[in-house]
Structures are given as C-alpha cells and as structure tokens.
Amino acid sequence: MTRPVFIGLDMGASRTKVVAIDDQGTLLGHAVKKSGIDFAATAAICLDDALAGAGAGRSDIAAAMATGYGRSNVAFVTSRSKTEISCHARGCFHSFPEALTIIDIGGQDNKIIKLDAAGRRQGFKMNRKCAAGTGAFLEEMSARLDIPLEEMNNLARRATEMIKIGSYCTVFSATEVLESIRHGKPVADIIKGIFYSMIQRVLEMDSLTEKVVLCGGVVAHNPYLVEMTEEMIGRPVLLPEYPQLTGAIGAALFAREEAGKR
C-alpha cells in the first residue's frame, strides 16, 4: 500500500498545475497543462499525471485543495479552496522560511506579496486591469514579432543593446515594437526591451524588502528575467526549485494541514 498523498491544484486562466506531496511536504509528482476550455477535464488529466509521478492512485489522496482562476471547477477537491495570494505565499515560504517579498508573474496578472519572518502576510498588491507585464503581454509581443514564445529568452540574452518600451499599455507597447521593427532595430534588442518593460511594470507596483522571491510560469520559462531583475534591484533574487508550481505546492500544504485537523 502506498503512503497517503496530498494534492494541490492551481488552475490558472492559462495553465493548470497539480502537485502531489507526502506528509513531510516533499514533492512526489506534478503536472502542468494548458487550461483550455474544459477546466474540469484538464484538472483530471493533470491529477492523474501527478499521481502517476508519485506512484500513487486516487484512493491514496488524503486531502486536496484548489486555488486559482478556475478553482471552483474542480470535482476532486476534498477541502475548501484558498486564494492565490495565500497559496503562493505558503508555497514560497515553504522553500524560503524568512521575511520575503514574493513577485509572482502569471499569465494574466502579477502579484507582490509581503511576508514577515513567521510567514504571516503583511500586504499584497496586484496589477491593474491592463495585461502589461504579464505572460499575456509576452505572448502578444511574441505574435507581433512572429517569434516563437520559447525562443524569446535566448534572444533577449544575446542582445547587445536594449530598445526601451515606454508605454504602459499593451496596445501602445505593440505599436512601439512595430516602430522599432520598421526602423530596422535588432530583434534581440527589442525583446530585451520587452523583458525590461515587464520587470519595470512589476517593480513599480510596490516597494521591496531585502529578500525577494520570483515565481510563476513566465519566470520558469524565461530565466533571463531573473537575471535582469537582479541587475535592476541590485541584489540576488531567490528562485524556488519549481517556480511555476508555488501556488499548487501551497495549496497542497494547506490540504495537508486541513487533513491534520480532522
């Protein structure tokens, strides 16, 4: 008989993440897929993949917790849901148990969460309605440049200069990018400017404490953003082992705590 597992699900508008942990909080299995239009079906597929990685089955689930945009669409959750703010905070604090500023760069929104040394939330900020600085912004710029999304990180790293993007609006930023293309600016320099613009938008949301953690799918797939952030704030940035999974890990940790109260 396998040991009990605790499931955390972070169903975002863009990607669905599911993790399985044991009673010590060790990550046993995980899965990430595009959320698509059938949230329930995607969640079920991710659950089975995460359980397979953990060497467990559905009968081994001791408790499950959901968070994210589509958390109400998950049939297998056995505990109440938690907010994304709470789950990202819990997941990051699990990796770095100290006072933190957490920056989550997601597909549709950005979050800045401040924790004290005990992991208690001291405040948070989210971006406004505009998608500038999010994964959606990066996808839009990818389409405008006709460059595959997965190639943008390496291109930005190879830039010799940087074309700064000044607009705060995704639409106007796209216009600036097209103007740069028209004037023959190197694509790598443009992409580096896009990355810089994303970080700048996030950093303008709130002040930072001494220890800063970056997480989210955008960070996981574009590690150059971490290096640029370090240069912009003048100090090292902490990075979880699985930046895209912090919300799901936090949800799983909450599930484990809920089970312990029964």
Side-chain angles (χ1 to χ4, degrees), residues 105-107 110 133-136 138 198 215-223 225 244:
I105 303 179
N110 297 324
T134 68
L138 197 57
M198 291 180 66
C215 64
V218 174
V219 172
H221 295 291
N222 298 281
L225 285 170
Q244 193 171 14

Side-chain angles (χ1 to χ4, degrees), residues 10 29 34-35 43 49 53 57 65 72 82 93 101 104 112 114 136 140 149 156 167 257:
D10 179 5
K34 286 186 177 181
S35 296
D49 288 351
M65 182 78 73
S72 61
K82 289 278 187 180
F93 191 76
T101 293
D104 171 53
I112 291 184
K114 292 183 178 180
E140 174 68 19
L149 196 60
S167 297
E257 291 171 11

